[in-house]
Amino acid sequence: MATEMDELIEQLKTTSVSQGDATTTLLCEISATKDPKLFDKHELAECFLRLTQSEDTNVRKEAAKCIAEITKSEVQRKKFTKREIIAAFLECLRHVPTEDGSMELPIQICRALGNICYLNDEARDLILDLKGDAVLLQLLDIATIEDAANAPQFIKVRGGLLSNYLLGGEGLAKRAMELGIMQKLQAMIDNGASNVEQHEDLLLNTLPLLSILTENVADLNFEAQLNIQLSRILAASTNPDLAEMCLELLHYQAESDEVKLLLAKDGLCETIYNLLEKYKTLASTSEARALMKLACELIVLVLTGDESMHYLYTTPLLKNMVDWLDSTDIDLLTTGVLALGNFARTDSHCIYFVEQQTMNKLLQVLAKNNGVKDDVRLQHALLSALRNLVIPKPNKNAVIQAGLVQTILPMLEIHQPPVVFKLLGTLRMTVDGQEKLALELLKNKTLIEQLVHWSKSSDYAGVTGESLRLMAWLIKHAYLNKIAYALPRKGDAPAEQIADKIPLSQDYDRSSLNEFLANEGTVEAMVSMLTAQHLVMQNEALIALCILSVVYLSKSGEPEQAQRLQDQLIECNVGAKLAELITKSSDSMTKEIVENLQNCINLLKTAEKLVPHLEQHNINELLKSIPILTEYCTL
């Protein structure tokens, strides 16, 4: 085969251009090759340059066709990257459509130039230098193609040529923007959207150019009309490739809240819902499933905008998403949950979902999917939604009564960080103001042991933080109301005054806190939390330690328990942690944190063993360095 090709090439080199028929025959034979690498050893550019300048249109056409085949090889792409060849091709394209209306020659030139440009920055730079980008973009102005038989092929190769050129990067894309490519593409898409089925080829070869521009031009925002057209094309098309292109482009654009609202009002989410309902049973291949997920994700993305979410709350989409809670398809089910979680971003919506039993449906779904082997994405979505629902105070008791805690506690066996993070956050929101529940959970040995473990060993900062915060919240919401009167509103009360205020009689049940402290590492967790990165966590740690001090270091406390807590606090080096807290955070401390800090230190000083420990770390002097206290003193 190689020898035969060598002979054909030698004949071509010795054939006169004037011998039109003989040259055309040779070119046809050469272009029929199936292996472009057969050309690699030959130097063909000069020979073909001569042929592209022939006055015989057929010779020029077959020469361009040959070049298109030859330059499928990387070696020949480089050899054909010559200014003269590219200039000759651009000159020809400048006069498209031709006088006779035939598209055969332009098609072959687009193919040849497109292949030369493929992964070839040198060729792209030559086109730019020759101002050929304007010539290429001019091809987009051809709306009516008289050569009907070759129209589909021209549309395809025109798109391919421009794609291969624009893939050269940001500079070429921005230059194309300056030359008005977006207006040209908008016109073509408007034309295509008028009859999607008829203009399917046009759209399939135009939308990729939009994708390339989107990837190469930062913050490229489409005109509202273009986004609406993409939405309409998605609704009208039955071609999965076209649907995928529309979805991907809309994904890019819907990062903007303004576009989210535009698409919401245009009915995009309802369109996607209807398409998914229509085709859900056909999503049996991996490609179809990927397309389905892309569509689902776009619904959720649109709902992340505040205005778009509020608008869609008033549309049938809300009921559609509730209906998907009954779906057996994991992607539709997860999308329904994610959508409802996004709707549940206001108290009024959350209260409505509880009143309408939507919350119960979410709990039923979670009860079926709360195991180690269940879908992590669905679990994360469910916990996110339930966390939002439990935030409004009117909802808390209803959600607790419906069995939220019993449903999510088995999920402690799951160790996927995103799920754990949401699980702990949901529990923390649930115990807010719920004394009875907090008391119960403090006694849950499995929960507390797991929280201590995660607070020390998680590689995921969010899980560490939420573990510590949940323990602090359990202590606070179980006991703060019981001992609050022992804490002065201003933190500067002397330790002996605080000691006198601490109740002498045990008029509250300490059993929950006793069981909490019986778990190894709980005191250490609260002390370590003092030096957390976030001020809110530092404050929560101070409140928890204040409560522990009131309950156990008072005169009414059992001496053995008081001694044990003092020993644990010293072992955890509470003095060093307090010193570190003041040193690192004093400049940013709020009035509330400073008061809690003073209360905590004064309470600790009521314990005999802790006084020298705190003095060892110079706590009194460090307190005086806190700016907010200095300001009070100088007023």
Side-chain angles (χ1 to χ4, degrees), residues 28-309:
C28 287
E29 290 186 53
I30 291 170
S31 65
T33 182
K34 302 297 182 187
D35 184 4
K37 290 185 178 179
L38 292 175
F39 302 111
D40 283 357
K41 64 182 179 181
H42 295 284
E43 300 298 328
L44 301 171
E46 293 301 328
C47 172
F48 275 92
L49 173 60
R50 181 168 51 89
L51 295 170
T52 59
Q53 295 168 337
S54 169
E55 293 183 6
D56 187 325
T57 302
N58 280 332
V59 171
R60 296 209 313 276
K61 180 187 74 176
E62 291 302 328
K65 185 177 180 181
C66 265
I67 294 172
E69 297 302 325
I70 292 167
T71 52
K72 287 179 180 177
S73 153
E74 183 180 356
V75 172
Q76 289 293 352
R77 271 203 297 279
K78 298 296 183 185
K79 290 181 178 181
F80 273 81
T81 304
K82 294 191 179 297
R83 189 181 187 90
E84 298 84 354
I85 292 176
I86 290 174
F89 283 157
L90 290 172
E91 183 57 31
C92 182
L93 291 179
R94 200 183 301 276
H95 302 290
V96 177
T98 56
E99 288 183 10
D100 64 0
S102 172
M103 283 295 178
E104 290 187 5
L105 178 57
I107 284 171
Q108 297 308 327
I109 290 176
C110 284
R111 288 185 64 225
L113 196 52
N115 285 348
I116 291 171
C117 280
Y118 180 69
L119 297 177
N120 187 350
D121 284 335
E122 188 183 351
R124 292 164 178 153
D125 289 343
L126 280 172
I127 291 174
L128 186 63
D129 190 48
L130 290 163
K131 294 185 170 50
D133 50 353
V135 176
L136 301 188
L137 294 182
Q138 186 180 299
L139 298 175
L140 297 176
D141 296 328
I142 302 172
T144 304
I145 302 171
E146 294 179 17
D147 185 356
N150 287 304
Q153 180 68 359
F154 174 71
I155 289 169
K156 181 179 178 180
V157 297
R158 173 181 63 182
L161 167 57
L162 279 160
S163 292
N164 283 356
Y165 174 71
L166 290 172
L167 282 167
E170 185 180 352
L172 300 184
K174 285 186 174 179
R175 165 73 177 161
M177 294 288 291
E178 292 169 9
L179 292 172
I181 189 173
M182 285 302 298
Q183 291 81 352
K184 296 174 187 291
L185 294 176
Q186 172 80 64
M188 294 170 71
I189 290 166
D190 284 343
N191 182 31
S194 65
N195 189 327
V196 173
E197 185 177 359
Q198 180 182 334
H199 298 298
E200 192 173 89
D201 284 338
L202 176 67
L203 293 167
L204 284 169
N205 290 285
T206 303
L207 296 187
L209 299 175
L210 278 180
S211 298
I212 294 168
L213 291 172
T214 300
E215 290 169 9
N216 285 284
V217 179
D219 302 320
L220 175 58
N221 298 312
F222 296 169
E223 294 289 332
Q225 177 62 21
L226 179 52
N227 283 315
I228 288 173
Q229 292 291 36
L230 291 171
S231 178
R232 304 282 168 83
I233 293 165
L234 177 65
S237 175
T238 56
N239 185 303
D241 293 331
L242 197 52
E244 183 177 8
M245 290 178 198
C246 290
L247 288 169
E248 286 178 346
L249 287 166
L250 289 170
H251 258 274
Y252 278 118
Q253 294 302 305
E255 294 297 330
S256 155
D257 283 353
E258 188 179 335
V259 176
K260 289 184 180 80
L261 181 60
L262 173 78
L263 296 174
K265 288 184 174 180
D266 193 55
L268 173 67
C269 293
E270 286 87 344
T271 293
I272 294 174
Y273 171 80
N274 292 329
L275 289 172
L276 289 171
E277 281 293 299
K278 183 177 180 181
Y279 295 115
K280 62 185 178 184
T281 56
L282 303 177
S284 53
T285 65
S286 58
E287 292 84 359
R289 180 56 58 174
L291 185 59
M292 185 176 183
K293 286 182 177 180
L294 191 62
C296 288
E297 287 165 6
L298 187 51
I299 291 178
V300 176
L301 179 59
V302 171
L303 281 168
T304 59
D306 287 337
E307 288 186 82
S308 52
M309 179 272 286

Side-chain angles (χ1 to χ4, degrees), residues 395-408:
N395 281 1
K396 290 186 187 293
N397 191 52
V399 178
I400 292 167
Q401 291 299 317
L404 170 66
V405 177
Q406 295 91 322
T407 304
I408 63 177

Side-chain angles (χ1 to χ4, degrees), residues 593-611:
I593 293 177
V594 172
E595 289 180 357
N596 286 330
L597 172 62
Q598 289 180 297
N599 279 337
C600 181
I601 290 170
N602 287 332
L603 283 163
L604 293 174
K605 283 157 66 175
T606 64
E608 187 179 339
K609 279 188 177 181
L610 290 171
V611 173

Side-chain angles (χ1 to χ4, degrees), residues 469 526 528-545 578 580-582 584-586 588-590 593 596-597:
R469 294 192 75 190
M526 293 300 93
S528 70
M529 192 177 172
L530 287 170
T531 55
Q533 183 180 355
H534 304 289
L535 286 175
V536 67
M537 291 178 64
Q538 296 169 5
N539 194 42
E540 288 166 358
L542 288 167
I543 293 169
L545 288 171
L578 286 167
E580 185 182 341
L581 166 63
I582 297 168
K584 289 186 175 180
S585 302
S586 61
S588 54
M589 282 183 179
T590 62
I593 293 177
N596 286 330
L597 172 62

